[in-house]
Amino acid sequence: MHNASCVAPRATANRGVIQVLEGGDQRIRPRTSAADAFEDSLVGAASDVASGRRIVPALQFTPPRSTQNPFVRLDGIEPGTSNVLIDRKLSIVRFPTRNGPMIPQATRIREVSEALRQNAGHRLIYEFPTAEAARDGRRILREIGVSNIEVRVAN
């Protein structure tokens, strides 16, 4: 069973966009972090009244390991489109280690990149709150060899 329940499937054969539920019941535990507020400010952000959980788009794909979810959850869809997905990030972090810099989100970013590769015609834009965060995000995507995710500053 997946961490998220499907709400309204719109795709087949592990390809395309579906809607899934994400997170816990916001009626009991409200979303209060800066990241939550940034994600929630995206046009079209919505919650399921019955469960109190966020409804988010998810891009289906065939993951490299059978233990992974067959989709990646994102934050929204660009208004006026059905194939341009948005994922909001405050930053992509990098930690210094003895063996060089470590980027904790690198595995997830590569997974999202693979989902995009398997879904021709879909685009993903990482939105950051500032030009500096967007610049750092672009640099890190280049460092980890991901070129199919676009970056911009959120409006």
Side-chain angles (χ1 to χ4, degrees):
M1 176 164 246
H2 303 303
N3 285 345
S5 302
C6 288
V7 174
R10 297 187 319 212
T12 58
N14 281 359
R15 300 293 182 270
V17 177
I18 59 173
Q19 300 292 316
V20 297
L21 298 175
E22 175 182 67
D25 189 336
Q26 298 170 56
R27 299 167 301 184
I28 296 170
R29 187 171 174 208
R31 294 168 47 89
T32 58
S33 74
D36 292 338
F38 187 49
E39 290 172 359
D40 291 346
S41 69
L42 185 62
V43 172
S47 295
D48 177 61
V49 175
S51 69
R53 297 168 68 192
R54 289 184 71 226
I55 302 169
V56 298
L59 188 60
Q60 296 185 104
F61 77 121
T62 302
R65 294 187 313 274
S66 63
T67 57
Q68 292 176 289
N69 278 337
F71 57 83
V72 291
R73 288 185 292 264
L74 303 159
D75 293 325
I77 298 175
E78 180 87 329
T81 74
S82 61
N83 67 325
V84 181
L85 301 157
I86 306 292
D87 204 16
R88 286 198 159 177
K89 304 207 169 292
L90 292 179
S91 64
I92 299 176
V93 297
R94 174 196 331 244
F95 295 106
T97 68
R98 270 192 318 231
N99 301 323
M102 182 187 88
I103 301 164
Q105 297 113 314
T107 299
R108 163 105 163 86
I109 292 167
R110 287 186 183 107
E111 184 178 276
V112 170
S113 177
E114 176 59 19
L116 279 172
R117 189 189 66 71
Q118 291 182 25
N119 281 274
H122 285 79
R123 294 173 39 214
L124 173 63
I125 302 170
Y126 278 174
E127 286 190 343
F128 292 89
T130 66
E132 180 181 4
R135 191 171 39 255
D136 290 345
R138 277 188 204 94
R139 183 174 26 250
I140 290 172
L141 290 175
R142 274 193 308 272
E143 284 177 24
I144 63 174
V146 171
S147 61
N148 61 344
I149 298 174
E150 302 167 45
V151 172
R152 72 181 179 201
V153 177
N155 294 331

